[in-house]
């Protein structure tokens, strides 16, 4: 288990935490400063050396594929009007990646969404990126995890320490830190209502072997009545070494309103063209 080049992006959710904005527009297409949320995840995967990118969607998410497609008419119009800078930006996005589309026909949960990608993934290890979890980091979070995978050949999930009140919102792991950031997982539970086994929450980045698929097939409905990826991974934990990695970087839950606003501010402050002026504006706005 070593060649890692595939990444699955589950994008089939309804985006209910962002209603009414996401009634028609896929939440993955909401702009974070000047790029749709999903593009950050796609760039992270690409910058981590992954080039086979599979997007799991549901009805009404076609704009995701349009965004990464060529737009001949728009390109022609920009060229004719001499808008070279804009043309280069549009061109860069459409050349960035080729996406493989997989359709999840029923909203049965994250585990089911990943299982839907089985044929497209094939018999290879693969990464999963949840686009809502946007991670601002010097070294892409997936790339940090990839090092652990390459070192051990074992599955890896991204971890972040959360407060006790927040543990019921996440998959939580049990186990111990074996080095500064590497965690050996001995158990995991999805959204524990009480007695979380640790303060370490799973964040939406995973590197998994294809052995997860038969386990997902057998996984029954879990927390929230959904087929949970965490439940299938808990089974994988019982079968052999399983790692967590407490990534370096800041994570935003861009799938809900407050997290999205925080991400917008932080990314805008770092934007090469907008950052300086935006900082000045914010200084006045918050005083
Ligand atoms: C999903 C996973 C959960 C994980 C979380 C990270 O939950 O099921 O284990 O901790 O993503 O964002 P969701 O937020 O989709 O309910």
């Amino acid at each position: 288990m070593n060649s890692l080049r595939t990444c699955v992006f589950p994008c089939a959710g309804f985006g209910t935490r962002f209603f009414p904005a996401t009634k028609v527009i896929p939440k993955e297409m909401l702009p974070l400063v000047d790029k749709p949320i999903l593009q950050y995840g796609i760039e992270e995967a690409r910058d981590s050396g992954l080039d086979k990118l599979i997007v799991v969607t549901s009805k009404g998410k076609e704009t995701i594929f349009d965004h990464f497609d060529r737009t001949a008419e728009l390109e022609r119009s920009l060229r004719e009007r001499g808008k070279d800078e804009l043309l280069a930006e549009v061109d860069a996005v459409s050349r960035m990646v080729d996406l493989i589309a997989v359709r999840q026909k029923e909203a049965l949960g994250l585990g089911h969404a990943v299982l839907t990608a089985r044929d497209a993934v094939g018999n290879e290890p693969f990464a999963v990126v949840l686009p809502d979890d946007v991670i601002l980091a010097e070294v892409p979070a997936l790339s940090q995890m990839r090092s652990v995978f390459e070192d051990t050949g074992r599955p890896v999930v991204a971890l972040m320490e959360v407060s006790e009140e927040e543990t019921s919102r996440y998959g939580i792991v049990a186990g111990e830190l074996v080095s500064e950031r590497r965690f050996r997982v001995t158990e995991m539970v999805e959204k524990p209502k009480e007695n979380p086994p640790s303060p370490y929450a799973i964040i939406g980045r995973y590197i998994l072997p294809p052995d997860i698929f038969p386990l997902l097939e057998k996984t029954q409905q879990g927390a929230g009545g959904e087929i949970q990826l965490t439940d299938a991974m808990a089974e994988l934990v019982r079968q052999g070494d399983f790692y967590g990695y407490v990534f370096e970087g800041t994570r935003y839950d861009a799938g809900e309103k407050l997290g999205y606003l925080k991400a917008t501010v932080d990314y805008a402050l770092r934007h090469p063209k907008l950052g300086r002026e935006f900082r000045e504006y914010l200084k006045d706005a918050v005083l």
Side-chain angles (χ1 to χ4, degrees):
M1 159 167 165
N2 35 39
S3 70
L4 179 68
R5 56 176 289 247
T6 305
C7 189
V8 176
F9 299 86
C11 296
F14 291 124
T16 45
R17 294 183 303 156
F18 224 126
F19 274 178
T22 47
K23 222 186 116 193
V24 177
I25 301 169
K27 62 175 173 173
E28 297 80 10
M29 291 305 289
L30 293 179
L32 204 47
V33 187
D34 56 2
K35 293 188 261 188
I37 290 176
L38 177 61
Q39 194 172 327
Y40 291 85
I42 298 253
E43 289 179 6
E44 180 181 328
R46 190 203 52 187
D47 294 345
S48 304
L50 308 182
D51 62 359
K52 180 177 164 188
L53 308 184
I54 301 166
V55 180
V56 182
T57 61
S58 52
K59 198 169 172 352
K61 303 259 186 171
E62 292 73 19
T63 51
I64 290 180
F65 301 100
D66 292 345
H67 177 73
F68 292 97
D69 201 353
R70 297 302 295 266
T71 39
E73 232 169 277
L74 171 64
E75 287 170 38
R76 195 176 324 116
S77 160
L78 292 173
R79 196 170 301 115
E80 279 168 12
R81 289 184 291 144
K83 306 235 179 235
D84 294 341
E85 205 175 319
L86 285 179
L87 179 63
E89 279 178 35
V90 166
D91 196 46
V93 175
S94 49
R95 282 179 196 280
M96 187 175 291
V97 282
D98 284 321
L99 300 180
I100 299 168
V102 172
R103 190 88 159 208
Q104 187 187 13
K105 293 184 183 158
E106 280 177 284
L108 298 179
L110 176 60
H112 181 259
V114 172
L115 182 58
T116 307
R118 181 183 198 161
D119 285 346
V121 170
N123 194 28
E124 285 182 15
F126 63 102
V128 178
V129 167
L130 307 189
D132 282 1
D133 284 331
V134 175
I135 301 178
L136 183 61
E138 224 147 86
V139 177
L142 253 189
S143 196
Q144 299 176 38
M145 294 163 64
R146 187 179 184 136
S147 308
V148 181
F149 171 74
E150 276 165 5
D151 193 28
T152 62
R154 303 299 306 168
V156 191
V157 291
L159 294 180
M160 181 179 95
E161 209 172 333
V162 298
S163 68
E164 182 146 5
E165 307 80 71
E166 290 175 307
T167 48
S168 62
R169 288 198 239 148
Y170 296 95
I172 303 291
V173 294
E176 55 166 356
L177 274 171
V178 289
S179 64
E180 200 197 335
R181 296 184 172 274
R182 196 180 291 190
F183 193 97
R184 188 189 292 270
V185 178
T186 54
E187 207 187 313
M188 59 175 73
V189 46
E190 180 68 10
K191 305 196 171 86
K193 291 205 173 74
E194 53 198 8
N195 301 324
S198 83
Y200 288 102
I202 300 172
I203 295 305
R205 302 286 184 279
Y206 310 78
I207 297 178
L208 296 168
D211 318 24
I212 194 73
F213 292 123
L215 299 175
L216 278 169
E217 246 177 356
K218 281 190 240 138
T219 302
Q220 305 289 316
Q221 289 180 342
E226 299 191 338
I227 296 174
Q228 296 290 353
L229 180 58
T230 304
D231 293 342
M233 291 194 300
E235 198 50 47
L236 204 56
V237 169
R238 281 173 217 126
Q239 297 180 2
D241 287 351
F242 195 115
Y243 291 96
Y245 191 75
V246 186
F247 61 90
E248 223 170 337
T250 308
R251 172 262 186 179
Y252 304 87
D253 183 358
E256 57 93 27
K257 296 168 188 177
L258 192 60
Y260 174 83
L261 288 174
K262 290 178 185 172
T264 300
V265 169
D266 285 358
Y267 275 91
L269 286 171
R270 283 166 180 75
H271 192 281
K273 289 195 185 137
L274 306 169
R276 216 163 46 93
E277 217 174 304
F278 185 60
R279 184 175 302 274
E280 290 309 312
Y281 169 75
L282 272 192
K283 273 192 208 155
D284 286 345
V286 297
L287 281 180

